[in-house]
Amino acid sequence: MSDNDLLFMRRAIELSLENVKKGGGPFGAVIVRKGEILAESCNLVTVLNDPTAHAEINAIRCAARKLKTFDLSGCVIYSSCEPCPMCLGAIYWARINKVVFANTTSDAQKIGFADYLIYKEISLPTQERNIEFRQLLREEALKAFKAWEESENKIEY
């Protein structure tokens, strides 16, 4: 743990506290590369009526726009709470190298956030999940995968 880690985590926590005062969710995130803050955000789910507007997702979107790339390799994300499954997926897709968090999913569960339920659901076979999953038209959809596979001008990610 470095002084910078403490500084950036304190900023993520500060963002979460400021957001609660504004009526938003208690989450903040900061993305750093080479000791410099690239992006920061708080949870904007209720402000934007967007269930994907978590602090980490917002910060990832901002950093990617700033760097003009979807690849955030070399970055660290500081989050006031352990990322939910959606945010964790986005962190992996963005290729962020390190996650530093404060509160845990257990802490979030105690105040009504159900990240643990989603983590549990992901590990279940689709037919055992609480939301109905049904596969349909796979052969038709595979045409797009084949087109992607054969494309000479694709940008792999």
Side-chain angles (χ1 to χ4, degrees):
M1 171 178 54
S2 71
D3 287 343
N4 277 346
D5 285 334
L6 295 171
L7 177 75
F8 298 134
M9 180 54 72
R10 286 192 174 110
R11 179 60 185 148
I13 293 168
E14 181 181 6
L15 289 165
S16 70
L17 286 166
E18 289 172 2
N19 204 46
V20 170
K21 290 176 186 170
K22 296 177 190 171
F27 306 99
V30 175
I31 296 179
V32 174
R33 186 176 72 172
K34 297 179 183 173
E36 176 188 334
I37 293 177
L38 289 177
E40 58 181 37
S41 189
C42 54
N43 180 292
L44 298 173
V45 170
T46 57
V47 172
L48 300 176
N49 291 317
D50 179 353
T52 70
H54 290 201
E56 297 91 339
I57 299 288
N58 296 334
I60 288 168
R61 288 174 178 159
C62 182
R65 279 191 304 271
K66 184 174 185 175
L67 295 175
K68 295 181 171 76
T69 181
F70 54 83
D71 185 344
L72 300 181
S73 295
C75 292
V76 178
I77 188 165
Y78 295 84
S79 179
S80 65
C81 188
E82 185 176 358
C84 76
M86 175 183 67
C87 294
L88 184 60
I91 288 165
Y92 274 95
W93 280 113
R95 297 185 182 114
I96 292 173
N97 295 89
K98 182 177 174 183
V99 178
V100 182
F101 64 93
N103 293 320
T104 66
T105 56
S106 294
D107 297 328
Q109 178 185 351
K110 290 175 186 169
I111 62 166
F113 291 92
D115 299 8
Y116 74 95
L117 174 66
I118 301 169
Y119 274 112
K120 181 181 156 197
E121 286 278 310
I122 288 171
S123 68
L124 295 173
T126 55
Q127 66 274 13
E128 293 178 26
R129 294 179 183 163
N130 285 322
I131 295 175
E132 180 181 345
F133 281 74
R134 187 174 2 146
Q135 188 174 19
L136 187 63
L137 300 176
R138 179 174 179 257
E139 292 303 316
E140 287 183 37
L142 282 173
K143 292 175 185 173
F145 280 17
K146 185 169 176 48
W148 166 262
E149 191 175 44
E150 294 172 353
S151 175
E152 293 181 16
N153 61 354
K154 65 185 169 204
I155 299 171
E156 295 192 26
Y157 57 98

